[in-house]
């Protein structure tokens, strides 16, 4: 079988980097798409050291022409993409009364507009191949989280986006699912700890006390779930939201 190509957005670090490394180990050629192409190159080098194939591509997922150029670059340089993981994300947390329009728009632009633009650019290759897998990163915050009106709305929005794409693209052999992580140790959660003035170690310890499996998550925990959704055998699983949070969610 020829190698399939996967695009992972926001893959220069954190969950995205973990997903990119896992998909490369699973045998995919992986495009590490991120705002920060130089940081993406370090992930590519790590994949290549393990014998995988990867390409770093710099692009803002919220920028229509940059996305089109990036996806074309992947198709030409690595292979036509048939797997997409919409992982790029940012937080701009604040209580509603302090949230600015910029905080709102920035979060919508990366999570919702970004997932829309990259999915729209990639679906043509999936439809042509008669096979594809899209995985969107939602969050337990979709269920509501203080200080995250923008982020929780975007992450709940991604669940509706996932289900609609699953309905539209199913007949072309394309499945679309979402993963909603709980607390994962990355720069994003480290930034939250810093904002509220708690050392990261203390922050993760407190979080772990609330989690049934008694630990916080790691990028590899999410990468494992992505690996399942994009696998050959998962073709009858579509439009689902999998909470990966170390326990049941409300
Ligand atoms: P992170 O902040 O460590 O990494 C995010 C990556 O996305 C960075 O490399 C950044 O450069 C890239 N990025 C940001 N804006 C971009 C844009 N406009 N275009 C292209 N790339 C862009 O975040 P983390 O923790 O790895 O999160 C990954 C995804 O998982 C996000 O969608 C996040 O909302 C979601 N998530 C994370 C959780 C956590 O506990 N860390 C929990 C639930 C969901």
């Amino acid at each position: 079988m020829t190698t399939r190509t996967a695009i992972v957005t926001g893959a220069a670090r954190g969950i995205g980097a973990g997903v990119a490394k896992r998909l490369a180990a699973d045998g995919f050629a992986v495009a590490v798409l991120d705002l920060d192409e130089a940081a993406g190159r370090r992930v590519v080098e790590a994949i290549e050291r393990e014998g995988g194939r990867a390409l770093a591509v710099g692009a803002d997922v919220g920028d229509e022409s940059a996305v089109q150029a990036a996806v074309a670059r992947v198709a030409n340089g690595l292979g036509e993409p048939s797997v997409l993981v919409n992982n790029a994300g940012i937080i701009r947390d604040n209580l509603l009364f302090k949230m600015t329009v910029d905080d709102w728009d920035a979060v919508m632009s990366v999570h919702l507009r970004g997932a829309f633009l990259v999915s729209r650019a990639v679906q043509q290759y999936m439809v042509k191949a008669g096979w594809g897998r899209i995985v969107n990163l939602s969050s337990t915050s979709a269920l509501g989280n203080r200080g995250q009106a923008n982020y929780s709305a975007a992450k709940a929005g991604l669940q509706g986006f996932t289900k609609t794409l699953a309905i539209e693209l199913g007949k072309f052999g394309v499945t679309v699912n979402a993963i909603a992580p709980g607390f994962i140790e990355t720069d994003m959660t480290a930034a939250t700890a810093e904002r509220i003035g708690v050392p990261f170690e203390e922050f993760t310890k407190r979080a772990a006390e609330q989690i049934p499996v008694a630990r916080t998550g790691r990028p590899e925990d999410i990468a494992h779930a992505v690996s399942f959704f994009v696998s050959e055998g998962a073709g009858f699983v579509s439009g689902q939201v999998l909470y990966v949070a170390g326990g049941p969610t409300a």
Side-chain angles (χ1 to χ4, degrees):
M1 203 178 76
T2 53
T3 305
R4 295 193 197 277
T5 297
I7 296 178
V8 184
T9 71
R13 68 179 196 211
I15 294 172
V19 169
K21 288 174 187 165
R22 174 62 189 262
L23 295 188
D26 287 350
F28 294 92
V30 181
V32 175
L33 192 151
D34 204 285
L35 273 181
D36 188 348
E37 183 166 329
R41 256 184 242 118
R42 290 194 286 277
V43 176
V44 166
E45 282 159 16
I47 288 172
E48 287 172 346
R49 275 197 300 277
E50 298 296 317
R53 255 185 87 215
L55 175 72
V57 180
D60 175 352
V61 295
D63 178 334
E64 185 179 13
S65 52
V67 165
Q68 273 160 357
V71 171
R73 205 178 136 196
V74 173
N76 294 328
L78 207 55
E80 297 190 349
S82 56
V83 171
L84 168 63
V85 183
N86 283 310
N87 164 85
I90 59 167
I91 47 172
R92 292 283 184 276
D93 296 355
N94 238 325
L95 293 173
L96 178 63
F97 78 103
K98 285 194 280 190
M99 188 171 284
T100 66
V101 169
D102 280 352
D103 291 334
W104 180 270
D105 288 346
V107 166
M108 294 303 155
S109 172
V110 181
H111 296 272
L112 283 179
R113 184 182 160 95
F116 156 64
L117 288 175
V118 187
S119 300
R120 195 184 60 174
V122 169
Q123 56 78 32
Q124 55 179 313
Y125 298 108
M126 298 177 172
V127 169
K128 191 172 135 198
W131 192 94
R133 301 278 186 263
I134 299 176
V135 181
N136 297 315
L137 266 289
S138 179
S139 167
T140 50
S141 295
L143 301 166
N145 197 24
R146 189 179 170 79
Q148 294 198 311
N150 50 0
Y151 184 81
S152 66
K155 291 309 200 186
L158 278 170
Q159 296 191 9
F161 179 70
T162 298
K163 290 173 191 189
T164 297
L165 293 200
I167 292 166
E168 291 187 13
L169 298 175
K171 63 170 177 283
F172 303 106
V174 179
T175 68
V176 188
N177 292 285
I179 295 171
F183 189 115
I184 310 296
E185 288 174 39
T186 68
D187 289 350
M188 186 178 274
T189 37
T192 303
E194 200 177 326
R195 188 174 62 82
I196 62 171
V198 179
F200 192 47
E201 208 176 312
E202 176 63 25
F203 191 59
T204 52
K205 192 168 154 273
R206 280 190 215 164
E209 283 163 6
Q210 308 299 319
I211 299 172
V213 301
R215 68 168 176 88
T216 48
R218 293 179 289 266
E220 304 83 68
D221 293 312
I222 304 308
H224 194 71
V226 173
S227 176
F228 164 71
F229 278 131
V230 307
S231 68
E232 211 62 47
F236 205 55
V237 181
S238 197
Q240 301 304 302
V241 180
L242 179 65
Y243 283 86
V244 181
T249 43

